[in-house]
Amino acid sequence: MKAQEICDQFQTWSLHSSENYSHKYLLIAAEIARVKKQDTLATQLYAKALDAVEIANFSHCEALINERYAKYWADVGQKRIAANFIKDAHYLYAHWGASAKCTQLEEQWPQQRFNIISGTVPFGGSLQSSIPNIVTDQTQSIDLHSLLKANQLLSEEIYVNSLLEKMMIVLMENAGAQHGAIIINEEEQLIVEIVGSINDFSACIDSQLHNINLDNVDAAEQPLLPDTLIRYTQQTMKTLLIDNPSEDPRFINNSYLRINNPKSVLCLPITAQGRLIAIVYLENNLTEHAFTKKHKDTVELISAQAAVSLINARHYETLEKKVAQRTEELHLLAIKDGLTGIFNRREFDTTLDKEWSRASRELGSLTLMMIDIDHFKDYNDNYGHPEGDSCIKLIAQALSSVVARKNDFVARYGGEEFAILMTTSNKSSIELLAQHCLNRIRDLAIPHQFSDTAEHVTISIGIATVNVLPKAHPATLIKQADSALYQSKEKGRDQYTFSSKLSTLV
């Protein structure tokens, strides 16, 4: 009863001098509720005490309230939330000059890494230029060193996915959240990029990248996030700090809130130059008033750096994509024929050398078809160069459509000549492909009234197959296929001819 009498006395004094006594009364009341195991009431009173002491501007009292609140969370097994408050208590004691008290906290909380500072930072002092100017009462309630450390961590990251993962960890740790998400505004579409949760076993934050449109989130059997609450933040462009959102008339029909029933929610927009960049969603499922004004201010300040980092990372990612795209375009220009779009002579030579080396190592075989458009000079001279180019393109497309094996290779060898390189010596397969090539060109039925072979464009094919041994040279394969091609022409064209024998090249 003695404690309750003292509490009642402080409550009476707080009515006449709120700034001097309200936070003290609320702290004593919170401690009494803690002893009585009235957890919900205790968390409400601790949170109100923190709000009151921020107004009163007593840093040593704020340090004490944070210390006692940390002890409460540690006792109920929420070490991550406790760490957030004890870290603030340590900083405030150091700021006040109570070095002995800081030493005591370091001994009592050996697992906690504190920001050890030398000297004091005057209240109302300016932060580095990366942090927006804020009024003095905000700087008094925020761990500036943790804030600067978080900003430095985010400013160093240039890749979007890695930045999102770091943002999720930094925001959840500084807010003491159990669950969170970052939603990116991409061309006026809200995209859920990453969701983080505290692992119950390791107490670490597990993050998972999603890239899901927010429109599709609530339709799932187990909704990922409260979409209506997030869209409310998008519309108002203001930070939303709310307890028991499932009971709020604005969100009462949201299925996520109905199923998960979070106790505390902090949802804020990340903006730059008046434009929405992203939305941060944080929640605590254990208690109401888990997020205080100090948490709100801290997350907003971190989000200011996060906005800059996100913009820079997206610019970098866009630049990388453009460079990769241009590099690919230049590569294709180097290996593709400008007229037909199939591989050119340079890429044919490169591929032949590569396959030749492989076949030489494995004692394998290669087959080459040399293909020529029959009477093409007469076609080009009489129909004109544009029609000649069109004819070459149609035949290139036809040959490409016939060659279906993964390792077979089609290229424009030069002028009206084409080449097909095959990694097989199976004669029936080779003959079947050659016949398909002839039939496919015939089916095109490109008129050629100046041909001595047919009324339409035809092709002739020369085929050579070799078993490759070390120290052999690929020029011999080309020579044999070319010789077989001329035999096809001498025999009347519109046909294929094999080289006189299967050769073993040494």
Side-chain angles (χ1 to χ4, degrees):
M1 292 298 295
K2 184 65 176 177
Q4 188 61 56
E5 290 174 7
I6 294 173
C7 182
D8 293 342
Q9 183 64 65
F10 271 88
Q11 184 179 23
T12 301
W13 291 340
S14 70
L15 297 176
H16 303 287
S17 181
S18 177
E19 288 191 2
N20 286 324
Y21 294 106
S22 284
H23 58 279
K24 297 180 179 72
Y25 150 65
L26 290 166
L27 174 59
I28 297 170
E31 289 293 312
I32 292 172
R34 178 181 66 83
V35 172
K36 292 182 177 180
K37 306 296 183 182
Q38 297 172 336
D39 291 336
T40 301
L41 178 60
T43 56
Q44 290 176 351
L45 291 169
Y46 281 123
K48 288 180 180 180
L50 283 173
D51 291 339
V53 79
E54 286 179 8
I55 297 172
N57 195 18
F58 292 123
S59 62
H60 60 294
C61 292
E62 185 177 359
L64 178 61
I65 296 169
N66 273 285
E67 180 186 359
R68 298 309 303 168
Y69 205 8
K71 178 69 166 58
Y72 165 80
W73 283 117
D75 288 345
V76 297
Q78 294 300 319
K79 295 181 179 180
R80 185 174 291 275
I81 301 176
N84 191 57
F85 285 103
I86 202 62
K87 184 172 63 175
D88 289 345
H90 184 279
Y91 173 75
L92 288 163
Y93 280 131
H95 201 179
W96 187 43
S99 57
K101 183 62 179 178
C102 290
T103 301
Q104 184 191 57
L105 290 184
E106 291 160 18
E107 292 172 352
Q108 293 175 345
W109 299 74
Q111 76 283 4
Q112 177 61 43
R113 298 178 63 181
F114 294 103
N115 294 312
I116 309 300
I117 59 175
S118 57
T120 60
V121 180
F123 290 140
S126 62
L127 299 176
Q128 291 185 1
S129 58
S130 62
I131 303 176
N133 292 328
I134 54 175
V135 294
T136 303
D137 64 340
Q138 282 182 301
T139 63
Q140 291 175 355
S141 63
I142 295 174
D143 184 341
L144 304 185
H145 289 264
S146 294
L147 187 61
L148 292 172
K149 183 179 178 181
N151 284 359
Q152 182 180 7
L153 183 69
L154 296 181
S155 64
E156 292 172 348
E157 189 55 65
I158 59 174
Y159 295 101
V160 172
N161 286 348
S162 298
L163 174 62
L164 289 169
E165 290 175 350
K166 288 183 178 180
M167 281 176 62
M168 196 74 269
I169 293 172
V170 166
L171 289 166
M172 287 184 66
E173 284 184 343
N174 279 272
Q178 293 179 294
H179 184 68
I182 299 173
I183 303 96
I184 300 294
N185 182 29
E186 194 169 287
E187 297 180 355
E188 302 308 316
Q189 293 289 316
L190 293 182
I191 308 298
V192 180
E193 290 288 354
I194 188 168
V195 175
S197 297
I198 293 181
N199 187 305
D200 292 334
F201 298 100
S202 65
C204 295
I205 295 174
D206 294 335
S207 297
Q208 184 176 356
L209 296 167
H210 283 277
N211 194 250
I212 302 173
N213 193 304
L214 188 65
D215 291 338
N216 302 325
V217 166
D218 194 55
E221 185 176 340
Q222 292 293 329
L224 197 62
L225 293 167
D227 59 324
T228 53
L229 189 148
I230 293 168
R231 291 204 182 279
Y232 180 85
T233 302
Q234 178 192 23
Q235 292 166 3
T236 61
M237 292 289 281
K238 292 181 180 179
T239 300
L240 179 64
L241 190 59
I242 185 172
D243 295 323
N244 297 314
S246 61
E247 299 175 5
D248 191 297
R250 294 170 294 182
F251 318 118
I252 199 167
N253 294 321
N254 185 264
S255 56
Y256 174 89
L257 297 176
R258 190 170 58 252
I259 294 170
N260 296 280
N261 194 30
K263 296 292 190 295
S264 301
V265 164
L266 174 60
C267 191
L268 75 152
I270 298 179
T271 61
Q273 299 177 342
R275 185 169 59 90
L276 181 65
I277 304 298
I279 292 175
V280 174
Y281 173 81
L282 301 170
E283 73 176 40
N284 187 297
N285 298 317
L286 293 175
T287 180
E288 301 168 13
H289 309 293
F291 303 125
T292 64
K293 181 177 181 296
K294 182 197 61 158
H295 293 126
K296 170 180 171 291
D297 294 339
T298 301
V299 172
E300 285 179 342
L301 289 172
I302 293 173
S303 296
Q305 176 61 53
V308 175
S309 299
L310 267 175
I311 291 172
N312 291 341
R314 287 171 118 181
H315 284 331
Y316 185 84
E317 192 174 73
T318 300
L319 181 61
E320 275 201 329
K321 287 180 180 178
K322 287 182 178 179
V323 170
Q325 182 181 352
R326 184 57 181 159
T327 302
E328 179 64 18
E329 289 173 355
L330 292 173
H331 176 66
L332 291 176
L333 285 174
I335 66 174
K336 291 295 183 75
D337 176 60
L339 176 63
T340 63
I342 65 174
F343 292 113
N344 59 19
R345 171 69 179 272
R346 177 188 297 175
E347 185 64 11
F348 169 80
D349 291 339
T350 300
T351 302
L352 178 58
D353 287 341
K354 181 179 68 176
E355 291 297 331
W356 192 269
S357 296
R358 182 194 58 76
S360 177
R361 291 192 306 271
E362 300 174 2
L363 301 180
S365 59
L366 289 176
T367 296
L368 177 63
M369 292 185 184
M370 296 297 291
I371 302 170
D372 188 70
I373 303 176
D374 296 329
H375 306 291
F376 183 74
K377 185 177 185 305
D378 293 331
Y379 185 95
N380 209 43
D381 289 346
N382 287 280
Y383 289 99
H385 291 292
E387 288 297 321
D389 288 347
S390 178
C391 177
I392 289 175
K393 286 194 285 186
L394 288 172
I395 290 178
Q397 292 169 4
L399 295 175
S400 296
S401 68
V402 169
V403 177
R405 278 170 32 102
K406 180 180 177 182
N407 295 326
D408 294 345
F409 180 87
V410 184
R412 186 182 179 193
Y413 194 74
E416 69 272 23
E417 284 189 299
F418 298 87
I420 299 176
L421 183 64
M422 306 173 67
T423 57
T424 182
S425 59
N426 185 284
K427 187 171 182 180
S428 60
S429 297
I430 297 167
E431 282 190 295
L432 183 63
L433 178 60
Q435 191 60 54
H436 280 331
C437 289
L438 293 172
N439 292 339
R440 186 71 182 85
I441 303 307
R442 291 167 186 158
D443 291 342
L444 292 176
I446 303 172
H448 190 352
Q449 65 186 58
F450 304 99
S451 170
D452 295 334
T453 305
E455 295 180 352
H456 52 78
V457 171
T458 58
I459 58 173
S460 296
I461 304 174
I463 307 170
T465 299
V466 297
N467 294 325
V468 182
L469 294 177
K471 298 183 180 180
H473 197 278
T476 310
L477 176 62
I478 298 174
K479 184 177 180 181
Q480 288 194 10
D482 206 41
S483 176
L485 172 61
Y486 278 96
Q487 290 179 41
S488 291
K489 293 182 178 182
E490 289 174 357
K491 291 188 292 185
R493 303 176 192 267
D494 191 21
Q495 59 187 282
Y496 62 86
T497 301
F498 277 91
S499 181
S500 56
K501 62 178 180 178
L502 179 68
S503 301
T504 299
L505 299 183
V506 293

